[in-house]
Amino acid sequence: MEDLGSTAAHHERFELLKGAEQHKNALIEELLWKVETLNTLYENKCLDHERETNANRNMQLQTNHLQGQIRKMERNPFVLVLIDGDGMIFQDYLLQDGEQGGKDAAASLWTDVLSYVQLNLPDLPSDINIVARIYANTKGLAETCARAGIVSNGSTLEDFTRGFTRSKQLFDFVDVGHGKDRADDKLSEVFKLHLYDCHCRHILFGCSHDNGYARLLEELSADRQAVDRITLLEGVPFERELLLLQSTFKKSTKFPALFRSTKISIQQQAAPPQQYGSLPAVTRTASQQPQAPTNANLTPTSWASAATFSPSSSVLSPPLTPTPANTSTTATIRRNKHGQRLDPPLKYDHSEVKRVRALKLCNTHFLRGDCPYDPCTHVHTAKPTKNDLTQLKVIARQAVCKYGTDCDDPKCIYGHRCGAMREGTTACGFGLDWECRFPSEMHFKDVTPVRTLKV
């Protein structure tokens, strides 16, 4: 019995040991699981750390690169001065002083702009560069100033522009040549090019004489950042549409010692400059446009049959002429809805035009009452009939008016629209534009008058 009892006790003890072994195994398994879990977490943390380290390193490299770019962007900051020289004209005393006047104008402009920047744009560096671009038809401007008596001859103004350009390395007076809106177009494109240029911190825009720039500025009205970068520079008083924009473009200034505040006034104006399109801001009164008397060999470009005449013939440039003594006669100027001048219609006969041409009558003597030629190679002593004078007007209109469709001389005898055009179209009877002496802007089909000016 003792032996049996002893065996049961062993079984009991064995069961106890078996349970302890299971607990031990469970503990070991739990510890192993926790180790594996911690290893996984550790590996993930290592990956995260490596990723963050790489991200921080890349961020630092990118930051260094951007800081380098910013430093480059901050180099050579400048203020841009853009001026339409056809309308914002320097004071007479500067123009009269030729090349030295140009140098003085450049120095004064630099000083005035720098003072404006320091007083009104404190965020800009005090040593900021100043870039000035003036665009103008210098030949037209020179001839206008000469006719107004501001300068003795056109070369004085050419000397002025040369002095202005040579005075400062970043100052340029650019001749855009003749042509409608050439200065406007160049100025607008340069303006748009630099408006968001990081190096260009501010633009002084000299355009107060021309409502056409209102379209350009209106497009920027909603862009406050762009508006804050623009100062309107006033010469002559702002035109109406530009004046309305001043509630949006609050920055404006003027340099009265430097630019004229009035348009050039010409009381007795001689021959207009030989170009079409925009001219310097000028008030024209009783302007004259004499032309060399028409020669029998000269060929018209209109009414008298395009096929009858050679389109390649040239017209002599008219000289300067005084105002005719009789200026009291009331005359009218008709214009279409686009503001283009319309010549009154004339009845003519091809054979009559040819006959009157052969008489070699002086156009300016018989149609204007004053001939500038002494001696004149054409006839002054004839007594033409009313029909002869009508045909003579047809002949005179075959010469291009140098003011183009903008001409406001009520006594002008020259053509403002090509008469060889086919009715209802802009097609010229000569075919190609270069074969006709009338420029493309004088080939328009709208001949319906909507406005008449009595002078």
Side-chain angles (χ1 to χ4, degrees):
M1 295 295 295
E2 292 179 355
D3 292 336
L4 290 174
S6 176
T7 302
H10 286 112
H11 277 287
E12 183 178 352
R13 291 172 61 189
F14 173 72
E15 290 298 329
L16 290 174
L17 289 173
K18 220 168 84 171
E21 192 68 22
Q22 290 174 350
H23 285 294
K24 180 187 72 171
N25 291 338
L27 176 61
I28 292 173
E29 289 177 356
E30 183 179 352
L31 291 174
L32 290 174
W33 178 82
K34 286 185 177 181
V35 169
E36 291 175 356
T37 302
L38 289 174
N39 281 336
T40 302
L41 291 174
Y42 173 74
E43 290 175 356
N44 290 339
K45 290 297 181 182
C46 288
L47 291 174
D48 291 343
H49 177 71
E50 184 178 0
R51 184 177 64 253
E52 292 298 325
T53 300
N54 291 334
N56 289 338
R57 184 179 295 112
N58 292 335
M59 182 69 71
Q60 187 62 48
L61 291 173
Q62 186 177 5
T63 300
N64 293 340
H65 174 72
L66 292 176
Q67 287 176 343
Q69 292 296 317
I70 291 173
R71 284 192 294 270
K72 290 181 181 179
M73 291 165 58
E74 290 177 344
R75 294 176 187 170
N76 300 320
F78 65 89
V79 169
L80 179 62
V81 184
L82 288 177
I83 295 174
D84 186 335
D86 284 339
M88 284 203 58
I89 302 173
F90 287 95
Q91 292 287 2
D92 293 357
Y93 74 92
L94 292 169
L95 300 178
Q96 292 163 358
D97 207 11
E99 185 167 347
Q100 185 58 47
K103 293 179 180 179
D104 294 342
S108 297
L109 181 61
W110 187 89
T111 301
D112 289 345
V113 171
L114 185 61
S115 298
Y116 174 81
V117 169
Q118 292 174 343
L119 289 174
N120 299 279
L121 305 170
D123 293 338
L124 301 185
S126 59
D127 60 344
I128 193 167
N129 290 318
I130 297 172
V131 179
R133 297 285 184 272
I134 301 177
Y135 296 93
N137 174 6
T138 55
K139 183 178 180 181
L141 178 60
E143 293 184 1
T144 298
C145 291
R147 293 198 306 274
I150 296 174
V151 296
S152 58
N153 55 67
S155 63
T156 303
L157 192 127
E158 292 177 5
D159 293 340
F160 171 88
T161 61
R162 189 180 306 112
F164 182 91
T165 301
R166 288 179 176 178
S167 176
K168 300 282 185 184
Q169 294 299 323
L170 298 177
F171 279 30
D172 291 302
F173 200 117
V174 183
D175 179 15
V176 299
H178 64 77
K180 185 174 178 60
D181 295 334
R182 291 231 175 144
D184 306 44
D185 294 341
K186 283 188 175 290
L187 206 68
S188 298
E189 289 304 314
V190 174
F191 175 86
K192 290 186 283 188
L193 177 66
H194 289 288
L195 182 59
Y196 297 104
D197 182 354
C198 61
H199 300 285
C200 179
R201 303 300 178 80
H202 203 79
I203 297 177
L204 277 76
F205 196 36
C207 60
S208 62
H209 65 287
D210 191 346
N211 273 324
Y213 292 108
R215 308 290 88 72
L216 174 65
L217 296 173
E218 283 172 352
E219 296 175 1
L220 305 172
S221 298
D223 188 342
R224 293 308 310 170
Q225 182 181 4
V227 169
D228 290 339
R229 289 163 53 87
I230 300 169
T231 293
L232 300 182
L233 183 58
E234 181 178 5
V236 298
F238 285 108
E239 290 292 337
R240 183 180 63 85
E241 293 183 42
L242 291 170
L243 199 60
L244 294 175
L245 286 173
Q246 283 196 300
S247 59
T248 302
F249 294 83
K250 299 184 183 300
K251 294 187 180 76
S252 66
T253 188
K254 62 175 66 177
F255 304 142
L258 199 56
F259 296 103
R260 293 177 60 99
S261 60
T262 59
K263 296 182 179 181
I264 296 176
S265 179
I266 302 176
Q267 297 303 321
Q268 288 188 336
Q269 182 169 328
Q274 298 181 16
Q275 81 274 338
Y276 310 101
S278 60
L279 289 172
V282 55
T283 302
R284 296 194 290 268
T285 57
S287 60
Q288 302 302 316
Q289 290 181 289
Q291 181 193 347
T294 304
N295 189 293
N297 294 325
L298 295 180
T299 54
T301 59
S302 55
W303 293 270
S305 178
T308 306
F309 303 99
S310 169
S312 60
S313 300
S314 60
V315 179
L316 298 177
S317 299
L320 304 182
T321 183
T323 305
N326 181 16
T327 59
S328 60
T329 303
T330 300
T332 59
I333 297 175
R334 306 185 315 155
R335 297 189 184 277
N336 62 18
K337 64 182 179 181
H338 304 292
Q340 297 164 309
R341 178 163 176 166
L342 304 175
D343 294 319
L346 291 172
K347 293 183 179 180
Y348 65 94
D349 180 86
H350 293 171
S351 60
E352 283 294 287
V353 170
K354 185 175 181 180
R355 178 186 65 80
V356 172
R357 182 183 294 280
L359 297 177
K360 298 188 69 175
L361 301 177
C362 176
N363 292 347
T364 53
H365 174 75
F366 289 107
L367 299 181
R368 294 189 66 95
D370 195 311
C371 176
Y373 298 93
D374 187 14
C376 179
T377 59
H378 285 65
V379 176
H380 284 206
T381 56
K383 295 183 178 179
T385 64
K386 182 177 180 180
N387 177 63
D388 292 342
L389 292 177
T390 299
Q391 310 310 316
L392 193 61
K393 290 179 181 178
V394 174
I395 296 171
R397 286 193 192 171
Q398 293 161 5
V400 181
C401 172
K402 299 304 188 334
Y403 274 130
T405 59
D406 294 329
C407 176
D408 58 5
D409 178 4
K411 295 183 179 296
C412 181
I413 62 175
Y414 307 111
H416 305 95
R417 176 179 179 270
C418 175
M421 292 173 54
R422 300 184 180 91
E423 184 176 356
T425 73
T426 58
C428 178
F430 289 136
L432 300 176
D433 287 346
W434 61 266
E435 294 180 311
C436 179
R437 69 169 61 102
F438 281 78
S440 58
E441 58 264 30
M442 288 187 171
H443 289 79
F444 57 90
K445 64 181 180 180
D446 183 4
V447 293
T448 304
V450 298
R451 178 159 51 97
T452 302
L453 173 66
K454 290 188 178 181
V455 182

